[in-house]
Amino acid sequence: MEELNILKTKIIGVPLNFGANRCGLEFSVENFIDRYPKYRDKIEVLGVEKQLEDFSTKGAKYLNTVAKTCEELAVNVNKIIKDGDFPISLGGDHAIAIGSIAGVAKEKEIGILWMDAHGDMNTPEISDSGHIHGMPLAASVGHGHSKLIDCFYNGAKVKKENVILFGTRDIDEKEQKLIDELGIKNYTWEMIAEMGFEKALGEVKEFFKDKNLHISFDLDGIDPAEITAVGTPVPGGLSREMGKTLVSEMIDTASVTSIDIVEYNPIYEKGAETSEYVDELLQLIEKKIN
Ligand SMILES: [Mn+2]
């Protein structure tokens, strides 16, 4: 009997832009598939259904639509985990991580490696913009709006001590205060540049060694000199190669359960370097996991 080529990696495309309130993100998944037709049958696209919103909720814009999308993503991710497979959530804005993390955390105790230029540790009370894509990490550790914290099931999804921020270089003042209060480990880009990427990576590997790990990979964590298609670029950050080394070596070291690749916004693409990078990341993950 011919052996079937069964892939463990399952890619879910979530073209959410309401968490960032930034046009372009809703075209991310279709645009990527259009550029790389080989993914057409590989990516399951989750539709974003607009919900009735209460616009007096200034601190968390489009809360109901974001919460509904995250809930649906959580259901899908959870099924993939239960089937013993490996979910890759392709954004869309970073708010989707609330759903992907919830879907995994229901079944397994996980740590989170959050690679990002930003902290994503805002809450509706302290956020200046009210954009939920700046809140997903806070919500996942149990801080912020209850509709976000309680995605898929009630309560925090991850223990704050099991989280590492990596590559940050733009954290709001009040957000920094919350990071400090909670004692969230934060490898800022400044620290990584000073100690050297290899040493920083070595420490992160040591911390998550043999533990279940969800990687949330924000493309804006990469140096905007090397990729352009992100809505909120911040100078500095990991090189493309460092980003790939991070993913590759974490898969070798930890028990990586799931990955997000988010904030691909084709409107800002100068050439094709960002979509190429997403393709390179997906190929790398598929090769390592399958
Ligand atoms: Mn982010």
Side-chain angles (χ1 to χ4, degrees):
M1 204 184 197
E2 200 184 333
E3 204 178 317
L4 290 167
N5 179 24
I6 299 167
L7 297 175
K8 277 177 73 72
T9 50
K10 308 279 175 207
I11 313 172
I12 308 177
V14 194
L16 183 69
N17 78 345
F18 290 99
N21 199 10
R22 197 175 285 273
C23 279
L25 284 161
E26 70 271 42
F27 298 96
S28 52
V29 177
E30 271 309 320
N31 218 266
F32 179 70
I33 293 171
D34 192 49
R35 214 177 262 275
Y36 293 97
K38 64 179 176 179
Y39 288 107
R40 191 164 295 282
D41 296 329
K42 278 188 171 179
I43 300 180
E44 189 195 336
V45 184
L46 204 72
V48 176
E49 278 175 56
K50 275 183 260 186
Q51 305 295 304
L52 184 64
E53 298 289 351
D54 171 8
F55 288 108
S56 64
T57 314
K58 300 282 183 218
K61 288 174 185 159
Y62 307 105
L63 175 64
N64 295 339
T65 304
V66 172
K68 174 84 172 3
T69 306
C70 288
E71 188 79 24
E72 280 186 18
L73 177 59
V75 170
N76 280 272
V77 164
N78 185 256
K79 190 184 174 299
I80 294 169
I81 291 286
K82 278 182 163 171
D83 288 344
D85 292 329
F86 187 99
I88 303 170
S89 301
L90 179 64
D93 73 62
H94 212 160
I96 68 165
I98 295 169
S100 59
I101 289 167
V104 183
K106 180 114 190 282
E107 306 306 323
K108 297 172 184 223
E109 180 165 2
I110 50 169
I112 303 181
L113 175 58
W114 200 274
M115 204 289 287
D116 205 313
H118 310 90
D120 293 358
M121 278 293 294
N122 268 291
T123 66
E125 292 72 33
I126 63 174
S127 168
D128 290 329
S129 68
H131 297 159
I132 297 175
H133 78 152
M135 309 180 189
L137 184 55
S140 298
V141 296
H143 290 262
H145 200 288
S146 62
K147 274 192 186 172
L148 303 175
I149 296 170
D150 294 338
C151 176
F152 198 42
Y153 64 100
N154 287 350
K157 307 301 187 265
V158 179
K159 290 182 187 148
K160 59 186 199 261
E161 56 269 30
N162 293 340
V163 172
I164 291 182
L165 276 163
F166 198 84
T168 54
R169 50 204 187 273
D170 183 10
I171 294 180
D172 304 331
E173 207 182 311
K174 291 177 201 155
E175 189 183 24
Q176 183 66 56
K177 230 181 118 202
L178 182 59
I179 289 171
D180 293 342
E181 274 170 24
L182 297 177
I184 302 270
K185 287 171 271 298
N186 180 15
Y187 284 80
T188 65
W189 173 244
E190 195 183 354
M191 284 165 62
I192 296 166
E194 200 182 299
M195 73 197 291
F197 172 73
E198 285 304 327
K199 183 163 190 287
L201 174 61
E203 291 184 10
V204 174
K205 280 162 69 175
E206 189 55 37
F207 184 79
F208 288 121
K209 196 176 173 193
D210 300 325
K211 290 182 186 149
N212 291 330
L213 176 67
H214 174 89
I215 301 175
S216 210
F217 193 104
D218 191 322
L219 291 162
D220 71 27
I222 303 297
D223 192 327
E226 297 196 18
I227 58 168
T228 55
V230 295
T232 44
V234 188
L238 281 72
S239 68
R240 293 166 75 106
E241 271 318 301
M242 286 175 190
K244 288 200 277 186
T245 302
L246 180 73
V247 170
S248 172
E249 295 202 11
M250 291 320 296
I251 292 173
D252 289 342
T253 312
S255 178
V256 177
T257 56
S258 40
I259 292 183
D260 312 314
I261 301 172
V262 297
E263 298 283 346
Y264 168 57
N265 190 330
I267 281 191
Y268 300 104
E269 183 94 288
K270 282 222 175 79
E273 75 293 331
T274 315
S275 57
E276 275 168 22
Y277 190 61
V278 172
D279 175 45
E280 287 168 21
L281 282 174
L282 288 173
Q283 283 191 50
L284 165 76
I285 297 162
E286 294 197 328
K287 200 171 146 208
K288 287 252 161 199
I289 299 295
N290 291 315

